[in-house]
Amino acid sequence: MDLEGAHGAGAPDKQRRRRESWGSSLLLAYQSLGVVYGDVATSPLYVYKSAFAGDDIQHSAGNEEIYGVLSFVFWTLTLISLVKYVLIVLRADDGGEGGTFALYSLICRHVRAGLLPGSGTDDELIAAAGRKGGAGRHDARAMSRLRALLERYRVLQRLLLLFALLGTCMVIGDGVLTPAVSVYSAVSGLELSMEHEHHKYVLLPVTCAIIIGLFALQHYGTHRVGFLFAPIVCIWLLCISVIGVYNIFHWNHHVYRALSPYYMYQFLKKTQTGGWMSLGGILLCVTGSEAMYADLGHFSQSSIKIAFISVVYPALVLAYMGQAAYISQHHSFENSYRIGFYVSVPEILRWPVLVIAILAAVAGSQAVITGTFSIIKQCSSLSCFPGVKIVHTSSTVHGQIYIPEINWILMVLCLAVTLGFRNTKQLANAQGLAVITVMLVTTCLMSLVIVLCWNKSIFLALGFLLFFGTIEVLYFSASLVKFHEGAWVPVTLAFIFMIVMCVWHYGTIKKYEFDFQNKVSVNWLLNLGPSLGIVRVRGIGLIHTELVSGIPAIFSHFVTNLPAFHQVLVFLCVKSVPVPHVQPEERFLVGRIGPKEYRLYRVIVRYGYRDVQKDDLEFEKDLVSSIAEFIRSGDSDHNGVSDDTERSGEKLSSISNGIPLWEENGEVDASASPRKEANTQIISPNRKKARFVLPKNAQVDSEVRRELQELMDAREAGMSFILGHSYMKAKSGSSFIKRIVINFFYEFLRRNSRGPTYAATIPHASTLEVGMVYQV
């Protein structure tokens, strides 16, 4: 039977996807309003209230303060959200993905600065991905020196990773604070519609109830939530635009003059230190800008740009101008704390606007929660966060996920800060520091991307760093001054999550180093003979190992303690690499250990940090088909990846298309779409008849046919998964800090985290788990 070509149809599909129609772009832009822009769209609820909170600045009859705040809001929104993120940062996608950790992995793709264990064969893939990313070959001298410094000095690599983790931790902190600030600010509109005695008893219970409902909705997935929230955000943007236009023409149509940068100078000249400290509240006008980049994997660059430039940005400018126009003509507020959004809403519209604002605040919180889930998955895939359960809520969009443990932790922390602060001022101070810290990290990493990945002039990168860095440092200093007034919360949360990430990453590296240093030599294996000194029975034994080369030490325990072993042994290594997606033709690396009669194979399965791992049956078929193709090709017809850590001549081959496998139901295995959750279950409960389908023109000699027949028999007999269960312990003589980190912190995290996704649902009857103490 002739096999159908799998490559011919790929090119037209890719071209069709690249020629994105206006219709699909507009549809994605509409959906992005509900997922991406809810946060920045609801910022008018609390920006003016936060800027005038406390005694920093007062609203005077001359209106210098309100005009200065409007000027700062306009130019901050324009320079940071529009110019920096929409026009520049969105272009720095890592295979279509965005976020702080995506910038870090993008740098690691072009510079060998990663600290992830087991880089051996991954370097080939990362280098190939870097070439696909369009890296030029003619580097400037300054760029070459910078690349050499990052590759040479381990301390710079650690600092780069710590910097990326800092931004990641602040994103998590923002995921805690944004729902609290948005919902509390929206519900505070009741202050103008109810008596104060009633209002103070209603505000907190209603806020907490809405927050609980928001997090309870997350398990339905981004797709459903996005379609639910998109019309709400559209109505909200239309609402604030209309109210803004009304206030401009009704109260002060000359307010447009405040858009001049001159009013920023006048504002700082009059208010001085108080005006500088109020910048911590003004910067909240750009909260949610980072979500545009973090949620890039859910949409496209064009759709996000269309939505912001044509809808979100004009609506926000009109809303801020309208509020300023109203406030400029009213100077008899009870106190400056009440200067805000709801005072500028006509009284007849306050209740409908209040309902829309609460719904929009819920939508705004969704953007940050979605980004938090995505960045936690990235960190977990790259060994920087303990294993968590990842539920894929969409069968078509792989980036849409739900993490139950993180969801409930965020909800508890969000309720805690809401009940603890009970006012917008301290909540806004906390959120402001988290937001501006993430932006500073993005600016610094982006300057490295401009030089190392885009191959632009180092002076262009320095210009980007100095221009946006100066603006953000100004806001950062104003936020840091409010440390005792709520800004300590994101610092505390970031410190806790940073410790968790660093301890987990350190323990993972030490575990890998122990495996690598104690692996068994191939010569020891060869001296055992083809039977390995034991009885070989039918079936395929999959031995999981973190090593990409050599024989794991735990295999010697199997050989010396088990009376029998499978006729086909596969050393399986499932690795996550610092690229967002691995193409199917680059997924499997297959090699042979020892002579052919040993029937020992090594298979490395590579996944990007955004990939969905296949379920059990699909994975088994792909695995066996790849080994069969490796056998049929004579071990030499594919692009080999040399293993220079062994002297045995072991060579890995990339298998683009495995031999189709027929099961007894008569269906040929093809590349199937992922199902359910991201689980790779190495187990075959059903004993089916199987045979390989070779092309008619295939030339197969008797030796290869015999080896394929033996692999087919083993497949019919079933598969078993051999999993090592390790316990980490600091060796004697270690420092006190190392003993605390390894023996207590890391072991606590390991015991309370989930195991590998491919081992999570393996039936116990087909799993052999052997414990081993690692002294590191």
Side-chain angles (χ1 to χ4, degrees):
M1 177 180 292
D2 293 331
L3 296 177
E4 296 183 1
H7 302 284
D13 290 339
K14 291 182 179 179
Q15 293 176 1
R16 230 179 351 262
R17 285 194 296 267
R18 290 173 183 172
R19 294 195 304 267
E20 186 181 29
S21 65
W22 274 101
S24 61
S25 295
L26 291 176
L27 178 61
L28 285 174
Y30 169 74
Q31 294 177 11
S32 70
L33 291 175
V35 177
V36 176
Y37 291 113
D39 190 10
V40 69
T42 54
S43 57
L45 287 171
Y46 45 80
V47 168
Y48 284 116
K49 179 182 289 188
S50 301
F52 284 93
D55 300 324
D56 297 335
I57 55 176
Q58 301 294 330
H59 180 39
S60 64
N63 289 327
E64 292 90 349
E65 293 83 5
I66 188 63
Y67 288 163
V69 171
L70 173 60
S71 185
F72 265 104
V73 167
F74 172 76
W75 286 106
T76 303
L77 190 65
T78 301
L79 294 177
I80 300 299
S81 297
L82 180 61
V83 177
K84 176 187 170 183
Y85 278 97
V86 175
L87 300 182
I88 300 177
V89 176
L90 280 182
R91 296 176 55 203
D93 64 299
D94 185 23
E97 305 298 334
T100 306
F101 221 79
L103 280 178
Y104 171 73
S105 66
L106 186 63
I107 295 172
C108 291
R109 273 173 45 182
H110 292 77
V111 181
R112 296 178 185 271
L115 293 172
L116 303 175
S119 59
T121 57
D122 298 343
D123 288 341
E124 302 293 333
L125 180 63
I126 296 169
R131 290 191 293 271
K132 291 179 183 177
R137 297 181 179 179
H138 304 289
D139 297 336
R141 182 176 301 176
M143 182 180 64
S144 300
R145 290 178 179 175
L146 181 59
R147 177 180 281 109
L149 285 174
L150 285 175
E151 292 180 349
R152 184 182 306 167
Y153 295 104
R154 197 78 168 175
V155 63
L156 294 180
Q157 298 173 11
R158 292 192 179 98
L159 288 176
L160 183 63
L161 177 61
L162 287 175
F163 206 59
L165 291 181
L166 173 62
T168 300
C169 294
M170 283 297 181
V171 169
I172 299 173
D174 194 20
V176 172
L177 295 165
T178 294
V181 176
S182 300
V183 176
Y184 195 95
S185 299
V187 177
S188 65
L190 295 171
E191 183 181 16
L192 300 178
S193 304
M194 300 176 64
E195 295 182 3
H196 182 69
E197 291 75 13
H198 296 161
H199 168 260
K200 64 181 181 180
Y201 294 114
V202 173
L203 181 57
L204 273 179
V206 172
T207 301
C208 294
I210 294 174
I211 290 173
I212 293 173
L214 169 65
F215 285 98
L217 282 175
Q218 296 305 312
H219 72 278
Y220 289 107
T222 305
H223 179 71
R224 295 183 181 91
V225 174
F227 268 105
L228 174 65
F229 287 157
I232 294 174
V233 176
C234 287
I235 295 173
W236 168 253
L237 290 172
L238 178 63
C239 178
I240 62 176
S241 301
V242 172
I243 293 174
V245 172
Y246 168 79
N247 285 329
I248 291 172
F249 286 97
H250 187 266
W251 295 108
N252 185 359
H253 60 276
H254 295 295
V255 73
Y256 67 90
R257 297 174 180 173
L259 302 183
S260 169
Y262 171 76
Y263 285 88
M264 290 192 291
Y265 167 74
Q266 286 291 98
F267 172 76
L268 293 177
K269 181 180 179 181
K270 179 179 180 180
T271 58
Q272 298 182 355
T273 303
W276 166 67
M277 295 180 66
S278 70
L279 294 179
I282 296 174
L283 77 89
L284 295 178
C285 68
V286 293
T287 179
S289 299
E290 186 71 24
M292 288 190 292
Y293 184 49
D295 291 332
L296 181 60
H298 295 197
F299 304 97
S300 63
Q301 289 186 30
S302 59
S303 63
I304 291 179
K305 290 179 180 179
I306 290 171
F308 186 82
I309 295 175
S310 62
V311 179
V312 179
Y313 179 74
L316 290 176
V317 172
L318 290 175
Y320 288 120
M321 290 177 64
Q323 289 185 61
Y326 178 89
I327 296 172
S328 66
Q329 300 301 314
H330 295 79
H331 302 85
S332 59
F333 297 109
E334 294 181 10
N335 54 64
S336 61
Y337 181 72
R338 296 189 63 176
I339 296 178
F341 173 76
Y342 287 105
V343 295
S344 64
V345 177
E347 189 172 354
I348 193 173
L349 297 176
R350 279 180 183 168
W351 277 106
V353 171
L354 175 65
V355 175
I356 299 173
I358 292 174
L359 294 175
V362 173
S365 304
Q366 176 63 35
V368 180
I369 295 172
T370 300
T372 303
F373 289 159
S374 298
I375 207 163
I376 288 290
K377 180 182 181 294
Q378 294 177 22
C379 294
S380 181
S381 298
L382 299 178
S383 303
C384 291
F385 199 84
V388 291
K389 181 180 181 181
I390 298 175
V391 180
H392 290 263
T393 57
S394 173
S395 59
T396 56
V397 183
H398 296 170
Q400 297 183 1
I401 61 174
Y402 165 68
I403 305 178
E405 298 96 330
I406 300 299
N407 183 67
W408 303 124
I409 290 174
L410 290 179
M411 186 191 76
V412 171
L413 293 175
C414 184
L415 290 174
V417 296
T418 303
L419 294 172
F421 288 141
R422 303 188 181 191
N423 65 73
T424 309
K425 177 184 176 182
Q426 291 179 312
L427 287 172
N429 291 338
Q431 186 190 20
L433 184 59
V435 168
I436 198 63
T437 303
V438 176
M439 290 183 174
L440 265 174
V441 171
T442 300
T443 299
C444 296
L445 293 179
M446 189 63 204
S447 62
L448 291 177
V449 169
I450 292 174
V451 175
L452 300 174
C453 304
W454 292 356
N455 297 328
K456 302 297 183 180
S457 169
I458 194 170
F459 296 104
L460 181 64
L462 286 175
F464 177 89
L465 179 63
L466 291 176
F467 180 75
F468 292 106
T470 301
I471 297 173
E472 290 162 358
V473 166
L474 179 65
Y475 281 113
F476 179 79
S477 61
S479 298
L480 201 58
V481 168
K482 305 292 183 67
F483 184 84
H484 295 291
E485 300 178 33
W488 59 269
V489 172
V491 176
T492 304
L493 291 175
F495 179 74
I496 294 172
F497 281 104
M498 180 75 83
I499 289 178
V500 171
M501 291 181 177
C502 291
V503 168
W504 186 260
H505 185 70
Y506 176 77
T508 303
I509 289 179
K510 288 300 179 182
K511 181 177 179 295
Y512 180 83
E513 290 177 352
F514 181 89
D515 281 334
F516 186 81
Q517 295 169 1
N518 293 274
K519 60 184 179 181
V520 179
S521 66
V522 175
N523 291 331
W524 173 85
L525 185 67
L526 298 179
N527 291 334
L528 297 177
S531 65
L532 301 181
I534 54 179
V535 178
R536 304 290 288 270
V537 297
R538 291 186 65 199
I540 298 178
L542 297 178
I543 303 173
H544 173 257
T545 176
E546 295 291 341
L547 298 175
V548 297
S549 63
I551 309 299
I554 202 167
F555 180 69
S556 62
H557 294 273
F558 297 154
V559 173
T560 55
N561 292 283
L562 294 178
F565 227 92
H566 303 85
Q567 67 186 102
V568 175
L569 288 178
V570 179
F571 291 93
L572 177 67
C573 179
V574 181
K575 295 194 66 64
S576 292
V577 292
V579 295
H581 300 286
V582 176
Q583 298 300 320
E585 60 270 16
E586 299 175 330
R587 177 86 62 206
F588 289 91
L589 290 178
V590 183
R592 188 189 300 278
I593 301 177
K596 291 184 178 182
E597 58 269 18
Y598 280 63
R599 302 296 189 254
L600 298 178
Y601 306 96
R602 182 187 308 284
V603 178
I604 299 175
V605 189
R606 302 179 293 186
Y607 290 97
Y609 57 78
R610 287 280 193 173
D611 281 334
V612 179
Q613 299 182 15
K614 292 186 176 182
D615 66 12
D616 53 351
L617 296 179
E618 293 170 352
F619 182 86
E620 287 180 17
K621 290 180 180 180
D622 288 347
L623 178 67
V624 175
S625 297
S626 298
I627 296 175
E629 174 61 23
F630 172 80
I631 296 171
R632 186 198 68 81
S633 65
D635 308 359
S636 60
D637 292 345
H638 301 281
N639 295 326
V641 180
S642 299
D643 182 358
D644 57 3
T645 62
E646 292 291 333
R647 299 179 180 178
S648 59
E650 180 184 341
K651 191 176 184 181
L652 299 173
S653 299
S654 179
I655 305 299
S656 57
N657 287 300
I659 298 178
L661 180 66
W662 276 63
E663 299 285 346
E664 62 180 4
N665 56 15
E667 295 181 359
V668 181
D669 173 49
S671 52
S673 61
R675 305 186 323 204
K676 308 182 292 185
E677 302 178 9
N679 292 326
T680 303
Q681 306 171 15
I682 314 301
I683 180 62
S684 181
N686 300 322
R687 301 295 182 257
K688 295 183 178 181
K689 294 292 183 181
R691 61 189 179 95
F692 297 113
V693 182
L694 299 174
K696 288 184 178 180
N697 57 354
Q699 301 294 328
V700 180
D701 57 30
S702 58
E703 185 177 357
V704 172
R705 188 175 297 274
R706 184 168 58 252
E707 191 171 0
L708 288 174
Q709 180 65 45
E710 193 168 337
L711 178 63
M712 186 175 61
D713 293 341
R715 163 65 178 165
E716 292 179 356
M719 291 187 179
S720 295
F721 193 88
I722 296 93
L723 181 66
H725 191 77
S726 60
Y727 299 89
M728 295 278 286
K729 184 179 180 181
K731 58 186 176 183
S732 59
S734 300
S735 64
F736 175 75
I737 296 179
K738 183 177 180 179
R739 292 200 302 270
I740 293 295
V741 168
I742 296 295
N743 296 350
F744 295 98
F745 288 168
Y746 180 80
E747 275 301 298
F748 173 80
L749 293 175
R750 185 192 61 78
R751 288 193 300 268
N752 292 277
S753 63
R754 293 181 180 267
T757 55
Y758 44 81
T761 56
I762 298 172
H764 296 290
S766 300
T767 305
L768 177 62
E769 191 169 348
V770 176
M772 187 174 182
V773 178
Y774 284 32
Q775 293 195 353
V776 297

